[in-house]
Amino acid sequence: MTWLRALLLALSLLAAQSAAAVSPDEMLADPALEQRARDISAELRCLVCQNQSIDDSDADLARDLRVLVRERLVAGDSDEAIRQFLVDRYGEFVLLNPRVNNHTLLLWGAAPVLLLAGLLVLWLMGRRRRAAAPGLSPEEQAALDEFES
């Protein structure tokens, strides 16, 4: 029963972690705008933490970016305009999921190509191993047949 309590505590701490980064003074009064801000913030990389979204990060720069996103939403910018503003300012690195462009084709294409190449190598090695494995001699095959019957 104690392991169940520990698991529930760990899960509740993980669930509360993302909510802890956004402070109440940052939140917008309009729930629809706040939800849009959270959705945009979840897609933007914290430039200090690098593997966290600005929505999850407690870094000062992440807070500044969250405030900037909310300011631009209140000013009437679209979600894409806000993303483009941040990309123009910080580069595509600010996006957690980079766009597919000419300069990101290698990033998007390398994983499937490497996976297929690895599978091809494994298949070729398996074929060679089967071809190099000696078969049973006629005496061994006769003994095997006698044993099976």
Side-chain angles (χ1 to χ4, degrees):
M1 191 56 129
T2 58
W3 66 270
L4 182 61
R5 286 183 187 165
L7 179 65
L8 289 174
L9 177 64
L11 289 174
S12 65
L13 288 175
L14 284 174
Q17 181 181 10
S18 65
V22 178
S23 61
D25 63 327
E26 295 175 35
M27 298 177 94
L28 297 172
D30 182 3
L33 279 181
E34 179 60 28
Q35 186 57 49
R36 282 179 57 200
R38 296 298 291 263
D39 292 342
I40 295 169
S41 296
E43 298 172 1
L44 299 173
R45 181 186 318 273
C46 173
L47 299 171
V48 175
C49 309
Q50 296 187 2
N51 285 329
Q52 280 186 318
S53 69
I54 63 171
D55 201 40
D56 296 334
S57 176
D58 288 328
D60 291 335
L61 180 59
R63 183 188 189 290
D64 293 343
L65 290 175
R66 287 192 304 267
V67 169
L68 177 67
V69 165
R70 284 166 173 77
E71 287 173 355
R72 295 192 66 91
L73 279 172
V74 170
D77 287 358
S78 69
D79 296 2
E80 189 54 38
I82 295 169
R83 282 187 208 93
Q84 190 58 48
F85 173 78
L86 291 169
V87 167
D88 292 343
R89 194 173 206 181
Y90 297 105
E92 286 212 22
F93 182 73
V94 77
L95 299 174
L96 278 173
N97 293 321
R99 300 172 182 154
V100 178
N101 292 329
N102 289 337
H103 61 282
T104 59
L105 283 177
L106 180 64
L107 174 68
W108 285 102
V113 168
L114 289 174
L115 176 67
L116 290 175
L119 291 173
L120 179 64
V121 166
L122 289 174
W123 180 71
L124 289 173
M125 288 175 57
R127 279 188 65 200
R128 282 188 188 161
R129 180 176 285 178
R130 271 185 255 118
L136 296 176
S137 68
E139 296 84 24
E140 292 171 331
Q141 184 63 45
L144 182 62
D145 291 341
E146 184 181 316
F147 180 73
E148 288 179 346
S149 56

PDB file of all heavy atoms in Angstrom, residues 16-49:
ATOM      1  N   ALA A  16       1.436  18.709 -11.195  1.00  0.00           N
ATOM      2  CA  ALA A  16       1.487  20.080 -10.693  1.00  0.00           C
ATOM      3  C   ALA A  16       2.701  20.838 -11.206  1.00  0.00           C
ATOM      4  O   ALA A  16       2.738  22.057 -11.141  1.00  0.00           O
ATOM      5  CB  ALA A  16       1.500  20.070  -9.173  1.00  0.00           C
ATOM      6  N   GLN A  17       3.685  20.132 -11.739  1.00  0.00           N
ATOM      7  CA  GLN A  17       4.920  20.772 -12.172  1.00  0.00           C
ATOM      8  C   GLN A  17       4.674  21.787 -13.278  1.00  0.00           C
ATOM      9  O   GLN A  17       5.199  22.889 -13.234  1.00  0.00           O
ATOM     10  CB  GLN A  17       5.902  19.712 -12.654  1.00  0.00           C
ATOM     11  CG  GLN A  17       7.220  20.283 -13.105  1.00  0.00           C
ATOM     12  CD  GLN A  17       8.165  19.212 -13.602  1.00  0.00           C
ATOM     13  OE1 GLN A  17       7.775  18.075 -13.781  1.00  0.00           O
ATOM     14  NE2 GLN A  17       9.392  19.582 -13.822  1.00  0.00           N
ATOM     15  N   SER A  18       3.875  21.443 -14.284  1.00  0.00           N
ATOM     16  CA  SER A  18       3.666  22.375 -15.384  1.00  0.00           C
ATOM     17  C   SER A  18       2.845  23.576 -14.946  1.00  0.00           C
ATOM     18  O   SER A  18       3.006  24.661 -15.459  1.00  0.00           O
ATOM     19  CB  SER A  18       2.992  21.662 -16.557  1.00  0.00           C
ATOM     20  OG  SER A  18       1.705  21.249 -16.187  1.00  0.00           O
ATOM     21  N   ALA A  19       1.953  23.389 -14.005  1.00  0.00           N
ATOM     22  CA  ALA A  19       1.137  24.508 -13.538  1.00  0.00           C
ATOM     23  C   ALA A  19       1.947  25.449 -12.656  1.00  0.00           C
ATOM     24  O   ALA A  19       1.596  26.608 -12.516  1.00  0.00           O
ATOM     25  CB  ALA A  19      -0.069  23.978 -12.772  1.00  0.00           C
ATOM     26  N   ALA A  20       3.028  24.972 -12.060  1.00  0.00           N
ATOM     27  CA  ALA A  20       3.811  25.800 -11.146  1.00  0.00           C
ATOM     28  C   ALA A  20       4.614  26.864 -11.878  1.00  0.00           C
ATOM     29  O   ALA A  20       4.936  27.890 -11.309  1.00  0.00           O
ATOM     30  CB  ALA A  20       4.740  24.920 -10.330  1.00  0.00           C
ATOM     31  N   ALA A  21       4.946  26.640 -13.164  1.00  0.00           N
ATOM     32  CA  ALA A  21       5.794  27.581 -13.884  1.00  0.00           C
ATOM     33  C   ALA A  21       5.063  28.887 -14.168  1.00  0.00           C
ATOM     34  O   ALA A  21       5.656  29.953 -14.098  1.00  0.00           O
ATOM     35  CB  ALA A  21       6.286  26.953 -15.179  1.00  0.00           C
ATOM     36  N   VAL A  22       3.794  28.827 -14.496  1.00  0.00           N
ATOM     37  CA  VAL A  22       3.032  30.040 -14.809  1.00  0.00           C
ATOM     38  C   VAL A  22       2.496  30.600 -13.507  1.00  0.00           C
ATOM     39  O   VAL A  22       1.705  29.972 -12.823  1.00  0.00           O
ATOM     40  CB  VAL A  22       1.875  29.724 -15.783  1.00  0.00           C
ATOM     41  CG1 VAL A  22       1.073  30.973 -16.069  1.00  0.00           C
ATOM     42  CG2 VAL A  22       2.418  29.121 -17.061  1.00  0.00           C
ATOM     43  N   SER A  23       2.931  31.804 -13.183  1.00  0.00           N
ATOM     44  CA  SER A  23       2.477  32.413 -11.936  1.00  0.00           C
ATOM     45  C   SER A  23       1.132  33.114 -12.162  1.00  0.00           C
ATOM     46  O   SER A  23       0.811  33.507 -13.289  1.00  0.00           O
ATOM     47  CB  SER A  23       3.519  33.390 -11.403  1.00  0.00           C
ATOM     48  OG  SER A  23       3.737  34.423 -12.328  1.00  0.00           O
ATOM     49  N   PRO A  24       0.351  33.275 -11.100  1.00  0.00           N
ATOM     50  CA  PRO A  24      -0.979  33.878 -11.238  1.00  0.00           C
ATOM     51  C   PRO A  24      -0.955  35.294 -11.811  1.00  0.00           C
ATOM     52  O   PRO A  24      -1.886  35.693 -12.504  1.00  0.00           O
ATOM     53  CB  PRO A  24      -1.520  33.879  -9.809  1.00  0.00           C
ATOM     54  CG  PRO A  24      -0.766  32.806  -9.110  1.00  0.00           C
ATOM     55  CD  PRO A  24       0.583  32.763  -9.751  1.00  0.00           C
ATOM     56  N   ASP A  25       0.115  36.047 -11.571  1.00  0.00           N
ATOM     57  CA  ASP A  25       0.153  37.410 -12.097  1.00  0.00           C
ATOM     58  C   ASP A  25       0.362  37.453 -13.613  1.00  0.00           C
ATOM     59  O   ASP A  25       0.118  38.472 -14.249  1.00  0.00           O
ATOM     60  CB  ASP A  25       1.226  38.239 -11.392  1.00  0.00           C
ATOM     61  CG  ASP A  25       2.628  37.700 -11.622  1.00  0.00           C
ATOM     62  OD1 ASP A  25       2.780  36.476 -11.738  1.00  0.00           O
ATOM     63  OD2 ASP A  25       3.566  38.519 -11.664  1.00  0.00           O
ATOM     64  N   GLU A  26       0.793  36.335 -14.199  1.00  0.00           N
ATOM     65  CA  GLU A  26       0.963  36.259 -15.652  1.00  0.00           C
ATOM     66  C   GLU A  26      -0.352  35.935 -16.348  1.00  0.00           C
ATOM     67  O   GLU A  26      -0.523  36.264 -17.513  1.00  0.00           O
ATOM     68  CB  GLU A  26       1.965  35.164 -16.023  1.00  0.00           C
ATOM     69  CG  GLU A  26       3.359  35.390 -15.569  1.00  0.00           C
ATOM     70  CD  GLU A  26       4.233  34.190 -15.899  1.00  0.00           C
ATOM     71  OE1 GLU A  26       4.031  33.558 -16.945  1.00  0.00           O
ATOM     72  OE2 GLU A  26       5.116  33.878 -15.085  1.00  0.00           O
ATOM     73  N   MET A  27      -1.248  35.248 -15.674  1.00  0.00           N
ATOM     74  CA  MET A  27      -2.447  34.712 -16.310  1.00  0.00           C
ATOM     75  C   MET A  27      -3.396  35.828 -16.758  1.00  0.00           C
ATOM     76  O   MET A  27      -3.529  36.848 -16.098  1.00  0.00           O
ATOM     77  CB  MET A  27      -3.155  33.751 -15.360  1.00  0.00           C
ATOM     78  CG  MET A  27      -2.295  32.554 -15.009  1.00  0.00           C
ATOM     79  SD  MET A  27      -3.071  31.475 -13.829  1.00  0.00           S
ATOM     80  CE  MET A  27      -3.819  30.329 -14.954  1.00  0.00           C
ATOM     81  N   LEU A  28      -4.031  35.576 -17.894  1.00  0.00           N
ATOM     82  CA  LEU A  28      -4.988  36.528 -18.446  1.00  0.00           C
ATOM     83  C   LEU A  28      -6.371  36.288 -17.843  1.00  0.00           C
ATOM     84  O   LEU A  28      -6.716  35.159 -17.487  1.00  0.00           O
ATOM     85  CB  LEU A  28      -5.053  36.370 -19.967  1.00  0.00           C
ATOM     86  CG  LEU A  28      -3.762  36.682 -20.717  1.00  0.00           C
ATOM     87  CD1 LEU A  28      -3.885  36.295 -22.175  1.00  0.00           C
ATOM     88  CD2 LEU A  28      -3.409  38.143 -20.587  1.00  0.00           C
ATOM     89  N   ALA A  29      -7.164  37.336 -17.780  1.00  0.00           N
ATOM     90  CA  ALA A  29      -8.517  37.224 -17.208  1.00  0.00           C
ATOM     91  C   ALA A  29      -9.446  36.454 -18.137  1.00  0.00           C
ATOM     92  O   ALA A  29     -10.328  35.726 -17.683  1.00  0.00           O
ATOM     93  CB  ALA A  29      -9.077  38.615 -16.934  1.00  0.00           C
ATOM     94  N   ASP A  30      -9.244  36.595 -19.441  1.00  0.00           N
ATOM     95  CA  ASP A  30     -10.076  35.896 -20.423  1.00  0.00           C
ATOM     96  C   ASP A  30      -9.607  34.444 -20.542  1.00  0.00           C
ATOM     97  O   ASP A  30      -8.476  34.193 -20.966  1.00  0.00           O
ATOM     98  CB  ASP A  30      -9.968  36.610 -21.773  1.00  0.00           C
ATOM     99  CG  ASP A  30     -10.852  35.984 -22.845  1.00  0.00           C
ATOM    100  OD1 ASP A  30     -11.597  35.030 -22.539  1.00  0.00           O
ATOM    101  OD2 ASP A  30     -10.788  36.457 -23.993  1.00  0.00           O
ATOM    102  N   PRO A  31     -10.462  33.470 -20.190  1.00  0.00           N
ATOM    103  CA  PRO A  31     -10.035  32.060 -20.241  1.00  0.00           C
ATOM    104  C   PRO A  31      -9.669  31.592 -21.651  1.00  0.00           C
ATOM    105  O   PRO A  31      -8.774  30.769 -21.815  1.00  0.00           O
ATOM    106  CB  PRO A  31     -11.239  31.285 -19.710  1.00  0.00           C
ATOM    107  CG  PRO A  31     -12.163  32.279 -19.115  1.00  0.00           C
ATOM    108  CD  PRO A  31     -11.808  33.617 -19.643  1.00  0.00           C
ATOM    109  N   ALA A  32     -10.329  32.109 -22.662  1.00  0.00           N
ATOM    110  CA  ALA A  32     -10.014  31.699 -24.038  1.00  0.00           C
ATOM    111  C   ALA A  32      -8.623  32.183 -24.444  1.00  0.00           C
ATOM    112  O   ALA A  32      -7.834  31.424 -25.032  1.00  0.00           O
ATOM    113  CB  ALA A  32     -11.067  32.237 -25.003  1.00  0.00           C
ATOM    114  N   LEU A  33      -8.305  33.434 -24.117  1.00  0.00           N
ATOM    115  CA  LEU A  33      -6.967  33.952 -24.420  1.00  0.00           C
ATOM    116  C   LEU A  33      -5.898  33.237 -23.606  1.00  0.00           C
ATOM    117  O   LEU A  33      -4.805  32.956 -24.104  1.00  0.00           O
ATOM    118  CB  LEU A  33      -6.901  35.458 -24.139  1.00  0.00           C
ATOM    119  CG  LEU A  33      -7.450  36.393 -25.215  1.00  0.00           C
ATOM    120  CD1 LEU A  33      -7.289  37.841 -24.786  1.00  0.00           C
ATOM    121  CD2 LEU A  33      -6.778  36.155 -26.543  1.00  0.00           C
ATOM    122  N   GLU A  34      -6.215  32.938 -22.359  1.00  0.00           N
ATOM    123  CA  GLU A  34      -5.257  32.223 -21.511  1.00  0.00           C
ATOM    124  C   GLU A  34      -4.968  30.832 -22.072  1.00  0.00           C
ATOM    125  O   GLU A  34      -3.820  30.384 -22.094  1.00  0.00           O
ATOM    126  CB  GLU A  34      -5.772  32.128 -20.075  1.00  0.00           C
ATOM    127  CG  GLU A  34      -4.855  31.377 -19.136  1.00  0.00           C
ATOM    128  CD  GLU A  34      -3.469  31.993 -18.999  1.00  0.00           C
ATOM    129  OE1 GLU A  34      -3.317  33.228 -19.169  1.00  0.00           O
ATOM    130  OE2 GLU A  34      -2.515  31.236 -18.728  1.00  0.00           O
ATOM    131  N   GLN A  35      -6.009  30.164 -22.559  1.00  0.00           N
ATOM    132  CA  GLN A  35      -5.806  28.841 -23.144  1.00  0.00           C
ATOM    133  C   GLN A  35      -4.957  28.936 -24.411  1.00  0.00           C
ATOM    134  O   GLN A  35      -4.081  28.104 -24.635  1.00  0.00           O
ATOM    135  CB  GLN A  35      -7.143  28.159 -23.451  1.00  0.00           C
ATOM    136  CG  GLN A  35      -7.005  26.730 -23.922  1.00  0.00           C
ATOM    137  CD  GLN A  35      -6.247  25.852 -22.935  1.00  0.00           C
ATOM    138  OE1 GLN A  35      -6.553  25.849 -21.751  1.00  0.00           O
ATOM    139  NE2 GLN A  35      -5.260  25.118 -23.405  1.00  0.00           N
ATOM    140  N   ARG A  36      -5.206  29.940 -25.229  1.00  0.00           N
ATOM    141  CA  ARG A  36      -4.366  30.150 -26.425  1.00  0.00           C
ATOM    142  C   ARG A  36      -2.923  30.412 -26.021  1.00  0.00           C
ATOM    143  O   ARG A  36      -1.990  29.884 -26.642  1.00  0.00           O
ATOM    144  CB  ARG A  36      -4.894  31.317 -27.256  1.00  0.00           C
ATOM    145  CG  ARG A  36      -6.106  30.973 -28.088  1.00  0.00           C
ATOM    146  CD  ARG A  36      -6.615  32.152 -28.884  1.00  0.00           C
ATOM    147  NE  ARG A  36      -5.613  32.720 -29.761  1.00  0.00           N
ATOM    148  CZ  ARG A  36      -5.677  33.956 -30.252  1.00  0.00           C
ATOM    149  NH1 ARG A  36      -6.684  34.757 -29.925  1.00  0.00           N
ATOM    150  NH2 ARG A  36      -4.739  34.403 -31.056  1.00  0.00           N
ATOM    151  N   ALA A  37      -2.732  31.210 -24.981  1.00  0.00           N
ATOM    152  CA  ALA A  37      -1.372  31.507 -24.508  1.00  0.00           C
ATOM    153  C   ALA A  37      -0.688  30.229 -24.027  1.00  0.00           C
ATOM    154  O   ALA A  37       0.495  30.006 -24.310  1.00  0.00           O
ATOM    155  CB  ALA A  37      -1.413  32.543 -23.393  1.00  0.00           C
ATOM    156  N   ARG A  38      -1.418  29.394 -23.305  1.00  0.00           N
ATOM    157  CA  ARG A  38      -0.838  28.123 -22.820  1.00  0.00           C
ATOM    158  C   ARG A  38      -0.491  27.199 -23.979  1.00  0.00           C
ATOM    159  O   ARG A  38       0.537  26.532 -23.970  1.00  0.00           O
ATOM    160  CB  ARG A  38      -1.803  27.423 -21.861  1.00  0.00           C
ATOM    161  CG  ARG A  38      -2.122  28.154 -20.568  1.00  0.00           C
ATOM    162  CD  ARG A  38      -0.909  28.376 -19.679  1.00  0.00           C
ATOM    163  NE  ARG A  38      -0.384  27.191 -19.093  1.00  0.00           N
ATOM    164  CZ  ARG A  38      -0.645  26.755 -17.863  1.00  0.00           C
ATOM    165  NH1 ARG A  38      -1.442  27.445 -17.086  1.00  0.00           N
ATOM    166  NH2 ARG A  38      -0.106  25.652 -17.413  1.00  0.00           N
ATOM    167  N   ASP A  39      -1.365  27.165 -24.987  1.00  0.00           N
ATOM    168  CA  ASP A  39      -1.098  26.312 -26.153  1.00  0.00           C
ATOM    169  C   ASP A  39       0.146  26.788 -26.906  1.00  0.00           C
ATOM    170  O   ASP A  39       0.977  25.971 -27.311  1.00  0.00           O
ATOM    171  CB  ASP A  39      -2.308  26.305 -27.097  1.00  0.00           C
ATOM    172  CG  ASP A  39      -3.514  25.598 -26.498  1.00  0.00           C
ATOM    173  OD1 ASP A  39      -3.347  24.829 -25.522  1.00  0.00           O
ATOM    174  OD2 ASP A  39      -4.642  25.829 -26.998  1.00  0.00           O
ATOM    175  N   ILE A  40       0.279  28.082 -27.097  1.00  0.00           N
ATOM    176  CA  ILE A  40       1.458  28.627 -27.781  1.00  0.00           C
ATOM    177  C   ILE A  40       2.706  28.387 -26.937  1.00  0.00           C
ATOM    178  O   ILE A  40       3.744  27.953 -27.443  1.00  0.00           O
ATOM    179  CB  ILE A  40       1.274  30.125 -28.082  1.00  0.00           C
ATOM    180  CG1 ILE A  40       0.140  30.331 -29.087  1.00  0.00           C
ATOM    181  CG2 ILE A  40       2.572  30.739 -28.604  1.00  0.00           C
ATOM    182  CD1 ILE A  40      -0.279  31.774 -29.251  1.00  0.00           C
ATOM    183  N   SER A  41       2.617  28.647 -25.637  1.00  0.00           N
ATOM    184  CA  SER A  41       3.767  28.484 -24.745  1.00  0.00           C
ATOM    185  C   SER A  41       4.247  27.039 -24.687  1.00  0.00           C
ATOM    186  O   SER A  41       5.437  26.783 -24.507  1.00  0.00           O
ATOM    187  CB  SER A  41       3.417  28.962 -23.339  1.00  0.00           C
ATOM    188  OG  SER A  41       3.140  30.335 -23.335  1.00  0.00           O
ATOM    189  N   ALA A  42       3.334  26.095 -24.841  1.00  0.00           N
ATOM    190  CA  ALA A  42       3.714  24.678 -24.807  1.00  0.00           C
ATOM    191  C   ALA A  42       4.524  24.288 -26.038  1.00  0.00           C
ATOM    192  O   ALA A  42       5.238  23.285 -26.022  1.00  0.00           O
ATOM    193  CB  ALA A  42       2.472  23.807 -24.696  1.00  0.00           C
ATOM    194  N   GLU A  43       4.440  25.079 -27.111  1.00  0.00           N
ATOM    195  CA  GLU A  43       5.158  24.772 -28.349  1.00  0.00           C
ATOM    196  C   GLU A  43       6.490  25.509 -28.461  1.00  0.00           C
ATOM    197  O   GLU A  43       7.221  25.292 -29.423  1.00  0.00           O
ATOM    198  CB  GLU A  43       4.286  25.150 -29.552  1.00  0.00           C
ATOM    199  CG  GLU A  43       2.992  24.388 -29.629  1.00  0.00           C
ATOM    200  CD  GLU A  43       2.067  24.928 -30.707  1.00  0.00           C
ATOM    201  OE1 GLU A  43       2.461  25.892 -31.406  1.00  0.00           O
ATOM    202  OE2 GLU A  43       0.970  24.388 -30.845  1.00  0.00           O
ATOM    203  N   LEU A  44       6.783  26.387 -27.507  1.00  0.00           N
ATOM    204  CA  LEU A  44       8.001  27.185 -27.576  1.00  0.00           C
ATOM    205  C   LEU A  44       9.047  26.682 -26.590  1.00  0.00           C
ATOM    206  O   LEU A  44       8.741  26.382 -25.447  1.00  0.00           O
ATOM    207  CB  LEU A  44       7.683  28.659 -27.288  1.00  0.00           C
ATOM    208  CG  LEU A  44       6.712  29.326 -28.270  1.00  0.00           C
ATOM    209  CD1 LEU A  44       6.350  30.710 -27.781  1.00  0.00           C
ATOM    210  CD2 LEU A  44       7.301  29.369 -29.661  1.00  0.00           C
ATOM    211  N   ARG A  45      10.283  26.614 -27.054  1.00  0.00           N
ATOM    212  CA  ARG A  45      11.397  26.097 -26.251  1.00  0.00           C
ATOM    213  C   ARG A  45      11.932  27.183 -25.320  1.00  0.00           C
ATOM    214  O   ARG A  45      12.106  28.330 -25.721  1.00  0.00           O
ATOM    215  CB  ARG A  45      12.509  25.639 -27.187  1.00  0.00           C
ATOM    216  CG  ARG A  45      13.725  25.066 -26.511  1.00  0.00           C
ATOM    217  CD  ARG A  45      14.847  24.780 -27.496  1.00  0.00           C
ATOM    218  NE  ARG A  45      14.431  24.190 -28.730  1.00  0.00           N
ATOM    219  CZ  ARG A  45      14.277  22.869 -28.934  1.00  0.00           C
ATOM    220  NH1 ARG A  45      14.528  22.034 -27.958  1.00  0.00           N
ATOM    221  NH2 ARG A  45      13.898  22.414 -30.095  1.00  0.00           N
ATOM    222  N   CYS A  46      12.214  26.781 -24.089  1.00  0.00           N
ATOM    223  CA  CYS A  46      12.921  27.679 -23.176  1.00  0.00           C
ATOM    224  C   CYS A  46      14.367  27.752 -23.654  1.00  0.00           C
ATOM    225  O   CYS A  46      15.037  26.732 -23.786  1.00  0.00           O
ATOM    226  CB  CYS A  46      12.859  27.151 -21.743  1.00  0.00           C
ATOM    227  SG  CYS A  46      13.870  28.102 -20.606  1.00  0.00           S
ATOM    228  N   LEU A  47      14.841  28.943 -23.929  1.00  0.00           N
ATOM    229  CA  LEU A  47      16.181  29.094 -24.474  1.00  0.00           C
ATOM    230  C   LEU A  47      17.260  28.878 -23.428  1.00  0.00           C
ATOM    231  O   LEU A  47      18.434  28.722 -23.768  1.00  0.00           O
ATOM    232  CB  LEU A  47      16.311  30.478 -25.110  1.00  0.00           C
ATOM    233  CG  LEU A  47      15.327  30.717 -26.269  1.00  0.00           C
ATOM    234  CD1 LEU A  47      15.360  32.164 -26.702  1.00  0.00           C
ATOM    235  CD2 LEU A  47      15.609  29.785 -27.415  1.00  0.00           C
ATOM    236  N   VAL A  48      16.883  28.844 -22.166  1.00  0.00           N
ATOM    237  CA  VAL A  48      17.834  28.579 -21.085  1.00  0.00           C
ATOM    238  C   VAL A  48      17.863  27.074 -20.799  1.00  0.00           C
ATOM    239  O   VAL A  48      18.926  26.464 -20.749  1.00  0.00           O
ATOM    240  CB  VAL A  48      17.453  29.373 -19.816  1.00  0.00           C
ATOM    241  CG1 VAL A  48      18.363  29.020 -18.658  1.00  0.00           C
ATOM    242  CG2 VAL A  48      17.491  30.860 -20.095  1.00  0.00           C
ATOM    243  N   CYS A  49      16.694  26.476 -20.626  1.00  0.00           N
ATOM    244  CA  CYS A  49      16.590  25.048 -20.280  1.00  0.00           C
ATOM    245  C   CYS A  49      16.769  24.162 -21.505  1.00  0.00           C
ATOM    246  O   CYS A  49      17.249  23.050 -21.402  1.00  0.00           O
ATOM    247  CB  CYS A  49      15.240  24.750 -19.645  1.00  0.00           C
ATOM    248  SG  CYS A  49      14.829  25.842 -18.290  1.00  0.00           S
TER     249      CYS A  49
END
